[in-house]
Amino acid sequence: MKTTRRELLKRGAKTGLLLLGGTALYEVVSGSELLTGGAPLRHAMAVDLRRCLQEEGCDRCAAACHGAHNVPRIADELRAVKWIWKDEMGRIFPETVGRIANAELREKKTVVLCNHCTNAPCVRVCPTGATFSREDGIVMMDQHRCIGCRYCMAACPYGSRSFNWYDPRRFLSEDAINPDYPTRTRGVVEKCDFCAERLDTGGRPLCVEACRAGALIHGNLNDPGSDLRRALQGRFALRRRAELDTDPGIYYLL
Amino acid sequence: MRKSSIVLISAALAALLASPFIVSLLSPPSPPPRPELPRDVKECVRPAAQMRAEHMVLLHQWRDDVVRRGDRREVMIGGVSYAKSLTGSCMKCHRHKEKFCDRCHGALSSAPKCWDCHVYRKEVRP
């Protein structure tokens, strides 16, 4: 088939747009220019930095999450297990906040958790299908299938995954275990599952419920009327390592 | 001389190898395991014969429904609604793992890893 001049120009324009998109070092999203589509439901979350950064030393979200999900408290930082925790802004956004001179902002802490990426690298590398993407945007783990190879930990750009070096029950006191949620076992990887068990029954993630500052907003990213979309509207937001094109589902509202 | 000793040693070896079979043939058959059934509930989610043969198939179906398909709808059986959950449904009636699961699984040396993660605690049973 002969390529018409019109088609060639069209293709050229598309290639140009792709190149432009691909070379962006980082992105700033604003609510009004959100490009969404696909599934009718896409679970996502916003962290309102104005509210969260003010609550220094607060860890209610992590305490609620780790308590309910039987996450062991292990002192050794290299072998600790975490689903949601606080880290310095400069480390969360190394290519933006990390490069600015304002040390005060760089060292302020906010929450990090699994970004529930649309194009999740952990899902791509998992050899057993233990980690998979649900249609509603949750990156889920099936612990029954995890063989502990830790490919996902190497692939995740956010360090959101933890390996169980020990039997977690050694670090959970008998009366602190939540019997309605399984613990994990030695030799498997775990991470935040966005409280899939709560979302499936119409609830909200525990961290969102636990936040007294109202800094965590959960909602359907693909529904223009959702709490989340309203929060994103008219504000600028950062996403972590957006240049990797993982399409993270956690937005940090500036 | 040498030949007879070889015969003796091989006979002893054969006797040693056969001894477990001989012992089990001579001893009375061990009684079949008797898992303790709940007294207050008579109906299970499937007929007893099917549960005996295929309970793991059902558990795997429930697991795949909940974990992989996110389908947490309860199942309605005989007018009773059950959550697709090992600890949330099965163990509500079969309260004591030692007197139910472990009896057969122990006798058959079959050890599924359910309880490595799922929490069984006597004191939290209702």
Side-chain angles (χ1 to χ4, degrees):
Chain A
M1 201 183 87
K2 248 181 100 177
T3 312
T4 62
R5 179 187 159 84
R6 188 181 160 79
E7 274 172 85
L8 186 74
L9 284 172
K10 264 190 182 169
R11 271 188 223 160
K14 275 184 195 161
T15 314
L17 277 174
L18 270 176
L19 283 174
L20 270 175
T23 48
L25 266 178
Y26 55 85
E27 58 147 32
V28 176
V29 220
S30 88
S32 41
E33 64 190 33
L34 267 177
L35 281 173
T36 56
L41 174 60
R42 200 305 190 200
H43 288 295
M45 195 165 96
V47 180
D48 190 335
L49 289 174
R50 282 186 212 159
R51 288 167 190 258
C52 185
L53 291 180
Q54 288 192 343
E55 304 287 325
E56 255 173 86
C58 169
D59 70 337
R60 281 192 208 99
C61 49
C65 168
H66 290 179
H69 295 123
N70 297 324
V71 177
R73 188 190 293 266
I74 297 169
D76 180 356
E77 186 64 17
L78 286 175
R79 299 189 167 189
V81 178
K82 298 175 198 168
W83 284 27
I84 178 170
W85 68 102
K86 287 183 109 175
D87 203 349
E88 291 177 8
M89 283 289 287
R91 283 160 49 87
I92 302 174
F93 301 105
E95 67 284 306
T96 47
V97 182
R99 285 186 185 163
I100 62 174
N102 183 348
E104 203 204 341
L105 178 63
R106 264 202 328 257
E107 285 161 16
K108 278 206 167 165
K109 289 188 170 180
T110 191
V111 289
V112 283
L113 65 158
C114 171
N115 279 276
H116 295 280
C117 309
T118 311
N119 311 314
C122 55
V123 172
R124 206 174 56 222
V125 299
C126 179
T128 63
T131 296
F132 58 100
S133 293
R134 292 191 359 169
E135 282 186 7
D136 58 8
I138 300 178
V139 175
M140 183 78 177
M141 271 205 77
D142 181 351
Q143 298 292 353
H144 306 92
R145 288 199 195 181
C146 180
I147 55 168
C149 71
R150 290 177 277 159
Y151 282 12
C152 56
M153 294 181 70
C156 176
Y158 310 105
S160 297
R161 294 176 155 270
S162 310
F163 182 67
N164 282 280
W165 290 92
Y166 312 102
D167 178 359
R169 292 190 185 177
R170 273 177 52 195
F171 300 87
L172 293 162
S173 64
E174 178 87 353
D175 46 295
I177 290 185
N178 170 14
D180 296 325
Y181 200 88
T183 65
R184 268 67 59 198
T185 184
R186 191 170 72 112
V188 297
V189 174
E190 64 182 83
K191 69 168 197 79
C192 153
D193 63 4
F194 228 172
C195 287
E197 78 281 6
R198 296 169 64 86
L199 297 181
D200 283 346
T201 49
R204 295 190 300 165
L206 266 170
C207 52
V208 174
E209 302 249 304
C211 181
R212 273 202 230 158
L216 303 180
I217 305 124
H218 160 266
N220 179 2
L221 188 69
N222 289 354
D223 171 13
S226 69
D227 292 349
L228 175 71
R229 283 289 288 276
R230 273 202 294 277
L232 289 169
Q233 201 66 41
R235 301 260 307 260
F236 287 109
L238 285 173
R239 292 191 297 170
R240 296 179 68 193
R241 306 293 305 274
E243 76 279 8
L244 299 177
D245 205 20
T246 58
D247 192 14
I250 312 293
Y251 292 77
Y252 291 82
L253 284 171
L254 297 169
Chain B
M1 243 329 146
R2 192 187 275 174
K3 212 178 220 173
S4 65
S5 65
I6 290 173
V7 169
L8 259 174
I9 290 169
S10 19
L13 203 68
L16 190 73
L17 286 172
S19 61
F21 302 101
I22 294 164
V23 167
S24 75
L25 276 175
L26 294 180
S27 55
S30 59
R34 294 236 173 267
E36 202 177 289
L37 294 173
R39 293 195 188 89
D40 41 344
V41 194
K42 291 281 161 245
E43 289 290 310
C44 195
V45 292
R46 296 278 189 283
Q50 195 186 344
M51 286 311 279
R52 223 171 278 137
E54 297 174 357
H55 58 280
M56 286 310 278
V57 175
L58 182 78
L59 283 171
H60 284 168
Q61 278 168 358
W62 280 10
R63 175 198 69 189
D64 291 345
D65 275 355
V66 169
V67 180
R68 302 206 72 89
R69 292 186 268 277
D71 177 3
R72 287 168 207 262
R73 283 174 302 179
E74 303 209 329
V75 283
M76 198 67 145
I77 293 143
V80 188
S81 187
Y82 298 91
K84 287 182 265 192
S85 164
L86 169 65
T87 48
S89 288
C90 307
M91 302 309 281
K92 287 270 151 52
C93 297
H94 303 285
R95 279 179 207 149
H96 304 288
K97 156 172 125 53
E98 302 87 350
K99 291 179 186 162
F100 188 71
C101 315
D102 293 356
R103 292 253 171 105
C104 293
H105 281 281
L108 298 169
S109 293
S110 125
K113 294 186 166 32
C114 314
W115 306 105
D116 284 7
C117 296
H118 292 277
V119 182
Y120 170 72
R121 267 190 359 205
K122 262 180 265 177
E123 62 266 37
V124 297
R125 302 292 120 210

